[in-house]
Amino acid sequence: MHVTDVNQELELAPEVVVTPRRAAQGRIFLGVLGLLFVVLAVWGGSRGWNAYRSHRYLVECQTAKGQEDWRSLRKVAEAWCAWDPQPHLGWFFAAEAAQNLSDYQAMAKYLAKVPPDDPNYLLSLVEKANLEWTALNQPLEALKTSERILEID
């Protein structure tokens, strides 16, 4: 095989002509792709950070509860609830700490903040009504809470 035969067998690719319009379209495409990547990275990082932070609050609450350190449990649970008002477990941890500290007014306040979509929402209302009927001696509030329970159940 001679050099001329090799050149004949290889077909050279036709020359690609890049027009200014085509170049601009490529830059726009790469810019949009880069922006999409940045948005997804920030969104994913934010979700990961929030999940990590919620988990840390949960672990700290469980540790304080296990050590029966009710003041720390209350402090951590309140911080968790201030950071994310929907951490259903945070309200229960705060209520348990308040109960063990004999702060029944705060316990009722925490139980009242349990969101309605929580599976234990009805239980939180029952506990709150029980507190209002007994320890807090607030029959009017207890009646309102009891009526709310009957509406749900």
Side-chain angles (χ1 to χ4, degrees):
M1 186 181 268
H2 295 298
V3 174
T4 56
D5 293 336
V6 172
N7 286 341
Q8 288 173 354
E9 288 180 17
L10 293 176
E11 288 186 26
L12 298 175
E15 192 173 313
V16 177
V17 178
V18 179
T19 63
R21 181 178 179 192
R22 183 92 170 158
Q25 287 174 340
R27 285 191 298 272
I28 291 171
F29 174 75
L30 288 176
V32 168
L33 192 62
L35 181 62
L36 180 64
F37 176 76
V38 168
V39 167
L40 288 175
V42 168
W43 177 74
S46 173
R47 284 182 52 99
W49 171 250
N50 288 341
Y52 170 78
R53 195 166 174 187
S54 286
H55 179 72
R56 288 301 317 148
Y57 278 124
L58 176 62
V59 168
E60 287 180 38
C61 283
Q62 289 171 332
T63 301
K65 180 181 174 181
Q67 296 172 349
E68 296 184 6
D69 184 355
W70 307 119
R71 292 189 193 290
S72 292
L73 176 58
R74 185 176 187 173
K75 181 179 175 186
V76 172
E78 285 177 344
W80 187 6
C81 294
W83 172 70
D84 178 8
Q86 294 297 319
H88 307 194
L89 280 176
W91 296 119
F92 286 108
F93 279 122
E96 184 175 2
Q99 179 183 22
N100 283 291
L101 294 169
S102 300
D103 187 353
Y104 301 116
Q105 189 68 43
M107 182 181 176
K109 178 183 81 172
Y110 297 137
L111 290 171
K113 291 186 179 188
V114 173
D117 63 335
D118 188 282
N120 293 314
Y121 177 64
L122 192 58
L123 175 65
S124 70
L125 289 178
V126 169
E127 286 295 321
K128 181 178 178 286
N130 183 42
L131 279 173
E132 291 166 341
W133 283 116
T134 58
L136 296 176
N137 193 23
Q138 296 174 341
L140 295 178
E141 285 299 314
L143 188 58
K144 289 178 191 174
T145 304
S146 298
E147 288 173 347
R148 178 72 183 126
I149 292 167
L150 292 175
E151 289 172 7
I152 295 170
D153 197 30

